[in-house]
């Protein structure tokens, strides 16, 4: 907040200074293929001749490609042709600095069909993948990505495609650097706009006259931003665990208890008793539940009896499963992970055909039409080198599912598991930008970090802050619930429910974001007003005045209303 106030102070004193010293982050991205590329973001940043207006300046062949500089209408671009190797392309030399965070974008096209294209930075014999896109012919696709480097020095940007039969067309390239301080300031500016609201409270007496010097105490009763943690059945009957959990979180996901192998291990014998007991407990404590999952596409996690079925018998078993679990919890869940990890795995496609996932989502929509249906995948944010779940592949699956029509349009959500090792924050943010272009709600659904203990908590905090600050992220669940047999990759507490360093990160962020019944206090001015910037959520308000010995209690709720937060929410309370 101090950095934010300093930023606004500097800007009010000198707009030119603000513009020259601080570059706002451009969250925009385009998922559509356009006839004309848009202008380079940040005017190209450190890229020379980013829109190819100056022909060959700064652009050279890479590998054995031949390059042409072409013009169609008012659009000028560079083409890499006669490619024999995936890396035969066009390139530009740049200098990268350790400690800076780089956001990258480019517009790409191929001369026929469709082909995946990667943006790569070659540095000291190492290759950093900045991002990828599935480029098309006859229109331009935006690739948005990012990277950091381990040491300063020269590097070479080029584009790569395994399909050597296509030409690679390149235009509107941008590479913009940010310091860590600037990156953090982007968070604060986004949070101020997306997660907070300025409130103006006026205290008046029974005649409607303002009351100056009234004491105001505002306590946040509940976070507006859903933040939670995965659990297993060991939370049932464990009072210490229950107390620790319910003091912190507003949403949860059951690790196993709703999965098919937990509810129908023996064909025809369903048992929802554990999941029902967990649902009852969390309803009592006002904790929302994400449904996880209807089916899982990984062949290693199927009920054993399912493998012996085929054809119509297999289809009917799947339909019964979808109906059973979706109808049982209809309208009670915050979300459904429908076909878990169906970009990486294809168990149901092999059994039911290429439209298996489409058909299962369609069944889920029919049996529970009001609950948002999520794709839930890993490595979309975590690993730019995984082509199976890249943002471009994710968008392909979304386009397929958006065509489902059952009792109206299907309500879809974007679930990103977020199992990190070393976070690539610029790539993470750019991937979120790309998926945000859909307008669909994004959740980080299984956040954890597999890293050495000396950096694990630091990386964990970075990921949580990045997710919380992004405008289109609507909730976060960590995959770090306590288990006596061992957590998946990361625990928040020990067996006595004392915080580990990662648990301290959670508490630190909750204190910042309004958790633990955070209080804001003050005194009304001469006109009876008190103003504060508060996180979205539910609030209890107490107003008192010592001279009149009058007191009043009220409550109010702050939510995001799409405004720019320039106009405060006003409340008038009688004391």
């Amino acid at each position: 907040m101090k950095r934010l106030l300093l930023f606004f102070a500097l800007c009010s004193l000198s707009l030119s200074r603000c513009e020259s010293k601080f570059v706002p982050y451009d969250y925009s991205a385009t998922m559509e293929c356009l006839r004309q590329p848009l202008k380079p973001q940040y005017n190209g940043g450190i890229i020379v001749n980013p829109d190819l207006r100056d022909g060959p300046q700064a652009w050279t062949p890479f590998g054995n490609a031949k390059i042409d500089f072409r013009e169609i209408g008012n659009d000028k671009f560079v083409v890499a042709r006669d490619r024999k190797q995936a890396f035969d392309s066009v390139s530009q030399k740049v200098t990268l600095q350790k400690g800076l965070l780089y956001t990258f974008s480019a517009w790409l096209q191929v001369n026929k069909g469709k082909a995946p294209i990667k943006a790569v930075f070659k540095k000291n014999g190492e290759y950093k993948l900045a991002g990828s896109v599935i480029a098309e012919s006859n229109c331009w696709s935006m690739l948005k990505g990012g990277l950091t480097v381990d040491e300063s020095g020269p590097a070479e940007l080029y584009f790569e495609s395994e399909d050597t039969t296509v030409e690679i067309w390149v235009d509107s390239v941008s590479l913009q650097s940010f310091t860590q301080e600037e990156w953090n300031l982007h968070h604060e500016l986004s949070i101020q706009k997306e997660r907070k609201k300025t409130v103006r409270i006026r205290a008046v007496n029974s005649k409607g006259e303002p009351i100056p010097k009234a004491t105001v105490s505002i306590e946040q009763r509940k976070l507006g931003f859903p933040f939670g943690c995965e659990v297993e059945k060991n939370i049932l009957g464990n009072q210490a665990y229950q107390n620790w959990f319910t003091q912190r979180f507003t949403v949860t996901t059951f690790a196993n208890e709703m999965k098919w192998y937990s509810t129908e291990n023996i064909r025809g014998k369903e048992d929802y008793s554990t999941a029902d007991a967990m649902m009852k407990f969390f309803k009592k404590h006002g904790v929302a539940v994400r449904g996880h999952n209807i089916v899982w596409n990984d062949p290693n996690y199927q009920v054993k009896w399912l493998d012996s079925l085929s054809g119509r018998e297999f289809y009917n078993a799947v339909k019964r499963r979808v109906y059973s679990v979706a109808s049982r919890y209809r309208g009670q869940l915050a979300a459904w992970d429908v076909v878990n990890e169906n970009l990486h795995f294809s168990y149901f496609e092999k059994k039911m055909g290429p439209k298996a996932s489409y058909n299962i989502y369609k069944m889920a929509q029919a049996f529970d039409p009001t609950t948002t249906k999520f794709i839930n995948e890993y490595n979309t944010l975590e690993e730019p080198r995984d082509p199976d779940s890249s943002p471009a592949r994710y968008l392909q699956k979304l386009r397929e599912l958006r065509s489902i029509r059952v009792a109206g349009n299907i309500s879809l959500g974007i679930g990103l598991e977020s199992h990190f090792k070393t976070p690539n924050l610029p790539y993470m943010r750019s991937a979120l930008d790309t998926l945000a272009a859909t307008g669909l709600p994004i959740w980080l659904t299984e956040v954890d970090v597999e890293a050495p203990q000396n950096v694990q908590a630091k990386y964990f905090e970075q990921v949580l802050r990045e997710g919380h600050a992004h405008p289109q992220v609507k909730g976060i669940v960590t995959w770090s619930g306590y288990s006596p047999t061992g957590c998946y990759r990361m625990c928040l507490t020990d067996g006595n429910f004392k915080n580990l360093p990662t648990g301290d990160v959670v508490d630190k962020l909750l204190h910042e974001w309004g958790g633990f019944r955070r209080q804001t206090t003050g005194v009304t001015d001469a006109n009876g007003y008190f103003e504060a910037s508060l996180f979205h959520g539910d609030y209890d308000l107490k107003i008192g005045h010592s001279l009149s010995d009058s007191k009043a209690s009220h409550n109010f709720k702050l939510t995001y209303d799409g405004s720019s937060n320039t106009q405060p929410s006003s409340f008038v309370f009688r004391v």
Side-chain angles (χ1 to χ4, degrees), residues 41-48 50 173-177:
Q41 292 187 317
Y42 313 102
N43 294 317
I46 65 173
I47 294 293
V48 177
V173 185
S174 173
L175 183 65
Q176 177 66 38
S177 63

Side-chain angles (χ1 to χ4, degrees), residues 419-438:
H419 296 294
F420 283 90
K421 292 184 179 178
T422 302
N424 179 343
L425 297 178
Y427 181 81
M428 177 183 176
R429 189 184 288 185
S430 70
L432 289 171
D433 294 346
T434 299
L435 296 170
T438 63

Side-chain angles (χ1 to χ4, degrees), residues 375-392:
I375 300 176
N376 194 48
E377 265 300 346
Y378 63 89
N379 278 355
T380 307
L381 301 182
E382 306 97 303
E383 182 49 77
R385 292 171 296 182
D386 187 344
D388 292 331
S389 57
S390 67

